[in-house]
Amino acid sequence: MTIEEDDDSFKIVDEEAEMAEEPEPTPEPAKKKRKTDKKSKKAAAAAAAKDDNTDSAFDPQFTFAIDGGGSSGPSHAWDFTAARDMLKEKQANTVARTSIDEIIAKKRQENKLKRKKAAAAETEKEEQADVDDDDEDIAADGFGGGARDKTMEDDDDDDDSDSDDSESDEEESGQSEDQSDTEEKNDEAEEARKRAYFAPDEENPTASHDSFTSMNLSRPIQKGLAGVGFVKPTEIQARTIPVALLGKDICGGAVTGSGKTAAFIVPILERLLYRPRQTPATRVLILCPTRELAAQVHSVATKLASYTDISFCLCVGGLNLRRQEAELKTKPDVVVATPGRLIDHVRNSAGFALDTCEILVMDEADRMLEDGFAEELNEIVKSCPKSRQTMLFSATMTDNVDQLIRMSLNHPVRLFVDRSDQAATRLIQEFVRIRAHKEADRSAVLVSLCRRTFKNKVIIFFRSKVAAHQMKILFGLLGLRAAELHGNLTQEQRLEALELFRDHKVDYLLATDLAARGLDIKGIEVVINYNMPNQFAQYLHRVGRTARAGRNGRSVTLVGEADRKMLKMAIKSANTGSQVKNRVIPAETIQKYKKKVDQLSPQIEEILQEEKQERAIREAEMKVQKSENLLKHASEIYSRPARTWFQTNKEKKTKKHSKH
Ligand code: AMP
């Protein structure tokens, strides 16, 4: 064992012992209770709205679950009602598809029939021959399909292979980068530049508020906070809200799950309460790097603003463009957007501009400052007035002046809570070593982890969309309930995957780094990294999907030989009090699952082929539908001005590879 040498706290764990410690899954909420909760929530909201200005109507202790009682504690942020609404209109024009789940189900049904037939044939054979031993040995040796299947309980499955090969096909998260890039060089000159660039530290307050009530927030905002169950500000909130209320630029960093969203939403809402109402204008723009994160921020903001008249619009790709155009015409106070769709609207939606933007927020700002987004960001910043307030937030926020300079910040206040290179305190980080000659066992290792130990509320990260999709098929064939989330899916499928996982209708979310940042998925108990990500910041974002807001969580990372440097960084990142462990899976267990995985390979291939054919048919149907539409609505379509974009198609394509 070599990896243990890296750190004293790196212990060997017996997996079976670990299994006994696994927490009980939280029971699913009863449907009936949901209904009652929803009713009482409506009644409470109505009553509260009525007495908006009376002190007696406000009870800071009062909390109710915004999602209708789905989970205890503060509400969970996932409510895609707005996004779903926009999808409905879009779907009316799309061709129906056969889902991958339907294809897998069909294959499983075929497998069952085959097994039944094989078992019947086997029994017949047994009855005829009076050979009465060997069955088990034959099964263990992998001869004679029927007997083997019997020893595998009702696990379905058939054939072989290593679905990992295709992983390098389609890298989503960019080139491998030297980790030393992330380790800041804090030399003297750089420090001096920072001192000149940022506001002096005296303006950086220490957390002094242990309750929202002491923050001088207006009553509707306090009610909104109580409504979502927030009583005490988190550290980033306690430090950010007072500074943001003063209108200062902010560069904020705090570990994932520490409440950054409310840290910038609350002061925005408070300031908007005092806006002049005669002329409606879009005064706030919140930018997020992914559609899902934007939908989540929009949902949190809307809930916190429940007792105000502040209006919002969600502008992200994949959702109905015309509906967004119509909403933007009404000049919503706050626009939550992804950069691409926003630029599309700025250029092509009549009457929409950013010249009234007073506050610009960038969530997961370091991601947005990376190359893939640089052009779009410049275009947006250029369209906003210089005099605006700008707030940048991320769990791995940088104070690298070179990167920040193009955001034209005005002496931003640095608000860094915790070190940005640390994982959450209550996170247990586990590592499973994959030796160089055992790389082909990766899928089997994952399947054995999921079959034996981590049975629900697990998010699994893959480097590529192709790998996530193949694992979805493998999981499906093995009867493990999983949804996939990556950029090869439609927006409808992406939201659906998140909802299925949120509602515990699937146990596993198989995702690319699309889901690594910002998403607040309540109750994720385990994050599994099928591969170590290429960048350490990405590792922190991924494992940050669990152990959020002071809860416990566990990450399990499959570590290949090439990942040793990253492993060291991960061990170093462990906070005081958090644990680092080496998980060992018995070799015979891996072999058992490898056999199963190998057996299923031809079926995975067949399913992929079937899917390809299905896609080709659908595309052809869509083409026909498009031509019909063109014929039917030709005059209207051709009378519309052509949509413009700030880059040529070629430029766009070259930039696109680094985005999701
Ligand atoms: P965020 O970092 O904004 O994604 O928030 C992480 C989680 O912390 C979310 O589930 C929030 O609902 C929760 N949260 C944020 N602020 C508070 C607070 N003041 N009190 C309790 N929970 C909070």
Side-chain angles (χ1 to χ4, degrees), residues 129-382:
D130 40 39
V131 189
D132 55 4
D133 46 55
D134 281 357
D135 267 2
E136 291 235 322
D137 294 343
I138 291 170
D141 285 342
F143 302 117
R148 186 177 189 282
D149 285 341
K150 269 194 250 161
T151 64
M152 283 184 184
E153 313 128 283
D154 56 342
D155 286 348
D156 353 302
D157 34 312
D158 288 343
D159 240 291
D160 138 65
S161 175
D162 175 7
S163 54
D164 305 354
D165 289 351
S166 55
E167 288 221 351
S168 50
D169 288 359
E170 223 184 309
E171 287 293 311
E172 255 202 353
S173 48
Q175 312 301 308
S176 99
E177 268 177 39
D178 190 350
Q179 281 308 310
S180 59
D181 281 354
T182 59
E183 290 164 359
E184 267 164 42
K185 293 177 190 136
N186 279 336
D187 58 20
E188 283 285 305
E190 183 63 19
E191 268 312 307
R193 277 184 85 203
K194 281 180 187 172
R195 272 197 300 277
Y197 182 75
F198 289 103
D201 282 346
E202 300 82 84
E203 289 182 31
N204 179 347
T206 46
S208 58
H209 295 277
D210 54 10
S211 144
F212 283 113
T213 30
S214 69
M215 283 185 162
N216 262 342
L217 297 168
S218 306
R219 189 134 305 262
I221 307 297
Q222 296 209 32
K223 282 162 92 171
L225 283 162
V228 293
F230 298 176
V231 179
K232 191 173 160 352
T234 64
E235 192 177 350
I236 188 74
Q237 289 163 357
R239 290 179 61 188
T240 305
I241 295 171
V243 182
L245 284 173
L246 296 173
K248 294 188 179 183
D249 283 0
I250 289 176
C251 202
V255 290
T256 52
S258 55
K260 282 190 296 295
T261 321
F264 61 78
I265 300 282
V266 166
I268 287 174
L269 299 182
E270 177 70 28
R271 290 188 64 191
L272 281 174
L273 284 181
Y274 300 96
R275 72 200 182 282
R277 283 168 171 79
Q278 310 86 297
T279 25
T282 295
R283 296 170 202 276
V284 180
L285 170 62
I286 302 174
L287 286 175
C288 303
T290 65
R291 298 166 185 180
E292 285 75 10
L293 185 55
Q296 178 181 292
V297 168
H298 175 264
S299 161
V300 173
T302 315
K303 278 169 196 161
L304 285 170
S306 300
Y307 301 94
T308 73
D309 60 351
I310 298 166
S311 54
F312 300 87
C313 176
L314 176 66
C315 280
V316 299
L319 301 185
N320 193 294
L321 188 93
R322 305 276 164 223
R323 159 108 177 249
Q324 288 170 10
E325 257 173 25
E327 280 184 23
L328 289 176
K329 275 206 180 110
T330 67
K331 313 264 184 219
D333 299 303
V334 182
V335 169
V336 185
T338 46
R341 180 56 68 89
L342 182 81
I343 293 175
D344 193 355
H345 283 301
V346 170
R347 296 187 71 95
N348 301 302
S349 296
F352 176 66
L354 294 173
D355 53 357
T356 51
C357 175
E358 291 171 25
I359 305 178
L360 169 65
V361 178
M362 278 176 28
D363 199 6
E364 298 302 333
D366 57 337
R367 170 75 186 106
M368 310 263 277
L369 291 167
E370 281 171 17
D371 284 348
F373 281 111
E375 308 292 317
E376 293 176 359
L377 214 60
N378 288 344
E379 182 74 11
I380 293 169
V381 171
K382 227 168 52 192

